[in-house]
Amino acid sequence: MTPKAIAPLRSRLGRRAGVLLISAAGAYLCLALLSRGPAQTTPKRPGFVDAAPRSKISYKSNNSPGSHKYFPQPMCGGVAIFDYNNDGKMDIFFTNGAQLPEMKKTNPSYYNCLLRQRADGTFEDVTAQAGLTGENLDFNFGVAVGDYDNDGYEDLFICSAGRNVLYHNNGNGTFTDVTKESGIGGKPADTLSVVAAWFDYDNDGLLDLIVDNYTYWTPQTDLRCTMGSKEYYCDPRRYKSVPPRLYHNLGHGKFEDVTEKSGLAKSPGKGMGISIADFNNDGWPDVFIANDTEPNSLFINQGNGTFEERGLEMGVAYNDSAQSGSSMGSDAKDYDNDGNVDIFYNNLMGQVWQLLRNRGNLFSFPYTSKVQTLSLPFSGWSNGFIDYNNDGWKDIYSANGDVDQVNEKSPQHDTMFENVGGKTFVDVSGEMGKDFLHKGYQRGSAFGDLNNDGALDIVVTSLNETPRILMNTADSGNHWLMLSLTGHKSARDAIGAKVKVTTASGRTLYNHVAISVGFMSSSDKRVHFGLGEETKIASVEIRWPSGIQQVLKDVAADQFLKVDEPH
């Protein structure tokens, strides 16, 4: 299949990008090619520049700091990058805390925040008009983005200490709280839910929801931990573990709690990160959960509505010292391009971060990667595999900062570990620019191409600070491809769809549709490929969640490719 160019689109940064529209049968194609100069022989490392000051953002992640150390305070500032109004420009949503111990958003400083991207790349606060301030909510944590009713508009689920909430996107710039009528809000009132993810676990074309729970907690049951006259945050092991909850989408805006019948109720944990991927390549989406101070969970989908927890058997339950760490955010991508989805999760300072290589039915620790050594000085929270320099190898970003201000090492800068040929990583953080190296108590982070220039940008929150919108300088000289997939037999968001790119030189690259990334956050659902010096792609192979396989031939680099599932 050879695309036919019929509708060029000029990107806002001066590059000529295009959108390729492929019909269900593959008959209608729209392609615009990017016109570039010759590739650089020695690609340079791009950096990041904070664009937030241009937008005069009033939002700060407010965890209600004070003399008393309430247990959930360190977990504040979830992020979502998504196009809520379908205008082709990525927007940003932030969750926020609440006044403690009242657990109320007593004034606008605790409100959640929706930023709409303007044509000039700045952002406008449209929270109030969208109905997303959350003023009647509690202390909020993670945000999960997904079009659960397949109407073409992305909806939001927000995790809380208190009432979780499902917001339906009305398609007119506003959202409606539909939690009660959906049946998705039923949980014990004292359950602390940190993060959630949408995915179609039974491949019926409707997105289901898994909610990562942590413990039972209220301000009234908060434990006091002191040393002399000084109060500190209690060890998480003093709190009870709880299992995640799974909600099956019945259609027509209704959900059923299937936690018991799915088998998830048998595996309690303290969920901090959740990653969705088909880890065993059987066509069914599986779930990895990074648990704080508990063994991590790997729920393998049995294809019959149930899951089997196989974390210990498959080598992900414990770290390389056979211990449970303070597992934080997680991501699951194929970092070495061998066709198997790997796992990364970070830990607190002194607990080595874990890069787990998928060897088929077993994960192992690639010590030659050097990730364990590079990570020792840092306390990582959110993270993600991000090919920041478009060389075709997924790098590792981590948002860092200690739990509390205990010494001069507590505020930390973020890190970028560059992937060298899928074998090892080098710390290039010092070359990412002064905005990237800001020291603070970073928490949530999300990734997406905010300005549609083919390079991935980063949005990251820091406790009690304005978030940073880190724009990739996009000057590596490397090429790229961005896929926007629309399901028809599959769920419209096509979460879990696998993509294999084979370049003209025979190089193979792998990625999949994944929105839940890192800690408390949701990323741009478009599938990104860095191509290095390659300008031509021999084939793009897509396996949709429905099982349908689609192959596109002779695809040009440096474009946005919109693909519809055949139906």
Side-chain angles (χ1 to χ4, degrees), residues 27-237:
Y28 300 103
L29 304 174
C30 169
L31 170 66
L33 303 179
L34 177 67
S35 178
R36 308 177 58 131
Q40 298 174 353
T41 55
T42 306
K44 62 180 291 189
R45 287 191 173 105
F48 293 87
V49 177
D50 186 7
R54 293 180 56 216
S55 298
K56 300 179 181 178
I57 298 168
S58 60
Y59 165 88
K60 293 183 180 180
S61 55
N62 190 342
N63 69 342
S64 187
S67 59
H68 179 63
K69 305 290 188 182
Y70 288 99
F71 181 70
Q73 279 176 318
M75 299 182 288
C76 185
V79 187
I81 295 177
F82 71 124
D83 183 4
Y84 85 95
N85 56 357
N86 289 348
D87 66 352
K89 300 184 292 295
M90 291 293 115
D91 310 298
I92 307 172
F93 178 78
F94 301 100
T95 66
N96 215 338
Q99 180 68 45
L100 294 171
E102 295 84 359
M103 287 278 283
K104 299 295 182 182
K105 296 184 184 294
T106 53
N107 59 64
S109 69
Y110 292 102
Y111 285 178
N112 299 329
C113 178
L114 176 64
L115 300 179
R116 182 184 68 84
Q117 186 175 173
R118 301 185 182 101
D120 63 358
T122 62
F123 291 86
E124 174 189 9
D125 189 329
V126 294
T127 314
Q129 49 265 54
L132 289 175
T133 61
E135 57 189 294
N136 297 318
L137 301 181
D138 305 307
F139 199 114
N140 300 144
F141 300 113
V143 53
V145 173
D147 182 6
Y148 73 84
D149 57 353
N150 291 330
D151 67 351
Y153 290 91
E154 300 297 320
D155 310 299
L156 298 176
F157 180 82
I158 298 176
C159 298
S160 306
R163 185 172 77 93
N164 294 338
V165 62
L166 175 63
Y167 283 113
H168 177 257
N169 189 333
N170 300 318
N172 60 1
T174 69
F175 291 76
T176 300
D177 181 346
V178 296
T179 313
K180 185 176 181 180
E181 52 265 46
S182 72
I184 214 166
K187 68 166 187 174
D190 59 348
T191 303
L192 194 158
S193 303
V194 175
V195 66
W198 295 98
F199 74 127
D200 185 2
Y201 78 89
D202 54 353
N203 287 340
D204 66 351
L206 296 171
L207 289 182
D208 312 297
L209 182 73
I210 184 167
V211 181
D212 235 356
N213 295 319
Y214 190 100
T215 189
Y216 299 114
W217 178 90
T218 67
Q220 292 71 38
T221 60
D222 189 67
L223 301 177
R224 303 288 193 270
C225 293
T226 60
M227 182 177 293
S229 61
K230 186 174 182 179
E231 186 172 354
Y232 59 94
Y233 292 115
C234 292
D235 189 316
R237 287 169 289 191

Side-chain angles (χ1 to χ4, degrees), residues 434-470:
K434 64 180 181 63
D435 293 340
F436 183 93
L437 293 173
H438 167 80
K439 288 188 176 182
Y441 297 86
Q442 278 69 252
R443 291 302 185 256
S445 69
F447 313 99
D449 187 356
L450 294 173
N451 54 4
N452 292 330
D453 66 349
L456 293 180
D457 311 301
I458 304 170
V459 180
V460 56
T461 60
S462 302
L463 290 182
N464 303 299
E465 292 189 64
T466 301
R468 282 172 295 151
I469 302 175
L470 296 173

Side-chain angles (χ1 to χ4, degrees), residues 433-544:
K434 64 180 181 63
D435 293 340
F436 183 93
L437 293 173
H438 167 80
K439 288 188 176 182
Y441 297 86
Q442 278 69 252
R443 291 302 185 256
S445 69
F447 313 99
D449 187 356
L450 294 173
N451 54 4
N452 292 330
D453 66 349
L456 293 180
D457 311 301
I458 304 170
V459 180
V460 56
T461 60
S462 302
L463 290 182
N464 303 299
E465 292 189 64
T466 301
R468 282 172 295 151
I469 302 175
L470 296 173
M471 304 301 297
N472 194 319
T473 57
D475 52 359
S476 69
N478 288 328
H479 300 271
W480 52 274
L481 176 70
M482 188 82 80
L483 297 170
S484 180
L485 306 185
T486 300
H488 292 283
K489 186 176 181 181
S490 303
R492 186 178 178 87
D493 279 347
I495 293 172
K498 301 178 183 179
V499 184
K500 176 184 177 182
V501 166
T502 303
T503 68
S505 69
R507 185 183 183 188
T508 55
L509 307 169
Y510 298 87
N511 209 341
H512 63 275
V513 180
I515 296 179
S516 174
V517 175
F519 173 61
M520 303 193 302
S521 301
S522 294
S523 290
D524 187 345
K525 68 178 180 179
R526 296 176 295 182
V527 186
H528 172 261
F529 287 91
L531 300 173
E533 297 182 353
E534 305 270 2
T535 59
K536 294 183 179 179
I537 298 166
S539 66
V540 176
E541 302 172 47
I542 303 169
R543 176 168 178 169
W544 297 85

Side-chain angles (χ1 to χ4, degrees), residues 233-526:
Y233 292 115
C234 292
D235 189 316
R237 287 169 289 191
R238 297 190 59 181
Y239 286 89
K240 183 178 181 179
S241 302
V242 293
R245 302 194 79 84
L246 180 63
Y247 298 93
H248 179 226
N249 192 337
L250 303 174
H252 307 291
K254 303 296 183 182
F255 292 81
E256 176 191 7
D257 188 333
V258 294
T259 306
E260 294 286 344
K261 67 173 66 175
S262 68
L264 267 63
K266 297 183 292 186
S267 302
K270 292 186 172 74
M272 294 282 275
I274 184 166
S275 299
I276 307 296
D278 181 6
F279 293 107
N280 57 358
N281 289 321
D282 65 352
W284 296 95
D286 311 304
V287 180
F288 171 79
I289 294 180
N291 289 312
D292 189 6
T293 70
E294 301 279 348
N296 301 315
S297 304
L298 183 56
F299 294 103
I300 298 298
N301 195 328
Q302 302 301 295
N304 59 4
T306 68
F307 291 81
E308 181 180 341
E309 204 292 297
R310 296 177 59 190
L312 180 61
E313 175 187 342
M314 296 184 70
V316 304
Y318 299 97
N319 63 20
D320 54 345
S321 300
Q323 296 177 339
S324 298
S326 300
S327 303
M328 298 297 196
S330 66
D331 194 13
K333 297 285 188 342
D334 183 359
Y335 81 90
D336 55 356
N337 288 322
D338 67 352
N340 295 317
V341 180
D342 311 297
I343 293 172
F344 173 79
Y345 63 92
N346 46 19
N347 282 299
L348 297 183
M349 186 187 306
Q351 302 176 22
V352 296
W353 300 350
Q354 298 297 304
L355 176 65
L356 304 173
R357 186 186 177 201
N358 187 347
R359 298 181 180 272
N361 288 315
L362 182 68
F363 289 80
S364 62
F365 306 96
Y367 292 102
T368 57
S369 72
K370 300 182 181 179
V371 167
Q372 288 88 343
T373 302
L374 295 173
S375 66
L376 277 172
F378 300 100
S379 291
W381 290 78
S382 194
N383 58 65
F385 287 109
I386 167 178
D387 184 2
Y388 85 99
N389 58 357
N390 282 343
D391 68 351
W393 298 105
K394 299 176 188 69
D395 313 296
I396 296 175
Y397 164 85
S398 179
N400 305 325
D402 212 342
V403 175
D404 196 11
Q405 188 172 356
V406 293
N407 55 49
E408 67 277 4
K409 294 183 180 180
S410 298
Q412 298 177 359
H413 64 72
D414 298 341
T415 46
M416 184 71 76
F417 296 165
E418 187 175 295
N419 187 338
V420 182
K423 303 295 184 182
T424 190
F425 290 79
V426 294
D427 187 346
V428 297
S429 311
E431 300 178 49
M432 298 296 99
K434 64 180 181 63
D435 293 340
F436 183 93
L437 293 173
H438 167 80
K439 288 188 176 182
Y441 297 86
Q442 278 69 252
R443 291 302 185 256
S445 69
F447 313 99
D449 187 356
L450 294 173
N451 54 4
N452 292 330
D453 66 349
L456 293 180
D457 311 301
I458 304 170
V459 180
V460 56
T461 60
S462 302
L463 290 182
N464 303 299
E465 292 189 64
T466 301
R468 282 172 295 151
I469 302 175
L470 296 173
M471 304 301 297
N472 194 319
T473 57
D475 52 359
S476 69
N478 288 328
H479 300 271
W480 52 274
L481 176 70
M482 188 82 80
L483 297 170
S484 180
L485 306 185
T486 300
H488 292 283
K489 186 176 181 181
S490 303
R492 186 178 178 87
D493 279 347
I495 293 172
K498 301 178 183 179
V499 184
K500 176 184 177 182
V501 166
T502 303
T503 68
S505 69
R507 185 183 183 188
T508 55
L509 307 169
Y510 298 87
N511 209 341
H512 63 275
V513 180
I515 296 179
S516 174
V517 175
F519 173 61
M520 303 193 302
S521 301
S522 294
S523 290
D524 187 345
K525 68 178 180 179
R526 296 176 295 182

